[in-house]
């Protein structure tokens, strides 16, 4: 496992609106960390997969940019952020009273102290059980009807307060969205998550 602390392999940083899940519509600073070995066929950031393709950037330098951002929330995404040791980044953000939100597949050991964790387990990966107790939201990507069964299997493992989201895989959205709507009407513990940023053409 690649581990970084005061430096992170950064693919991109930008200021935008969160497009999906619980924080949809909220302004946040995005930090996309390089490195992921899950290999989802639908991944829309395949350029992130190789950590060594992305420069190591000092957390202190990232923090300076975050401090100048009007929003006081940072979404750390990837790639798979948990390939890196996030303790230093989270401690710095906490000191600055900036919310830190994590997006993870749960495929790597947990690190950091987060205000919100979006856990989105992917197929054929080992999951670290820490995420079952720590996640604030479970986001299941639905690309075929059988994925709903898999979503229920994960829902059973989550703690009681965890929010449950079904999200149509973007390229299958025309077929999967009506299916998800119908499913949620029958199983209202779930909510739908839509990749709104793709509809409004923002990052
Ligand atoms: Fe892409 Fe995320 Fe899958 Fe990694 S876990 S391959 S970053 S969609």
């Amino acid at each position: 496992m690649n581990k970084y602390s005061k430096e992170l392999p950064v693919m991109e940083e930008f200021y935008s609106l969160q497009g999906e899940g619980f924080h949809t519509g909220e302004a946040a600073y995005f930090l996309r960390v390089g490195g992921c070995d899950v290999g989802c066929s639908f991944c829309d950031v395949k350029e992130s997969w190789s950590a060594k393709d992305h420069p190591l950037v000092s957390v202190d330098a990232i923090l300076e940019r975050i401090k100048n951002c009007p929003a006081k929330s940072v979404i750390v995404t990837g790639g798979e952020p948990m390939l890196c040791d996030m303790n230093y980044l989270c401690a710095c953000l906490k000191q600055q009273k900036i919310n830190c939100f994590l997006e993870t597949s749960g495929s790597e050991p947990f690190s950091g102290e987060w205000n919100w964790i979006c856990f989105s387990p992917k197929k054929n990966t080992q999951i670290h059980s820490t995420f079952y107790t720590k996640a604030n939201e479970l986001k299941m990507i639905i690309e075929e009807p059988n994925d709903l069964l898999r979503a229920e299997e994960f829902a059973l493992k989550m703690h009681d307060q965890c929010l449950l989201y079904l999200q149509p895989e973007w390229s299958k959205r025309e077929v999967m969205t009506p299916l998800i709507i119908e499913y949620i009407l029958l199983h209202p513990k779930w909510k739908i998550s839509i990749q709104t940023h793709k509809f409004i053409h923002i990052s």
Side-chain angles (χ1 to χ4, degrees), residues 36 38-40 42-45 48-49 78-80 105 122:
C36 183
V38 176
C40 304
F42 55 77
C43 182
D44 51 10
V45 281
S48 72
W49 289 3
E80 175 45 69
S105 68
K122 306 301 192 300

Side-chain angles (χ1 to χ4, degrees), residues 91-157:
C92 293
L93 291 171
K94 187 174 183 182
Q95 198 174 36
Q96 297 295 326
K97 297 186 169 39
I98 295 168
N99 293 318
C100 39
F101 303 157
L102 170 66
E103 304 215 327
T104 178
S105 68
S107 64
E108 299 293 331
F110 180 80
S111 66
E113 190 179 336
W114 302 91
N115 299 96
W116 192 268
I117 297 173
C118 172
F119 169 46
S120 185
K122 306 301 192 300
K123 291 174 186 169
N124 305 318
T125 55
Q126 172 195 351
I127 301 295
H128 287 261
S129 57
T130 321
F131 295 96
Y132 300 140
T133 52
K134 286 198 176 286
N136 300 92
E137 63 176 296
L138 171 71
K139 185 174 69 189
M140 299 300 300
I141 310 302
I142 306 300
E143 54 178 336
E144 55 178 328
N146 275 345
D147 291 340
L148 294 168
L149 294 175
R150 190 169 162 272
E152 290 293 354
E153 287 168 12
F154 273 97
L156 285 174
K157 296 177 183 174

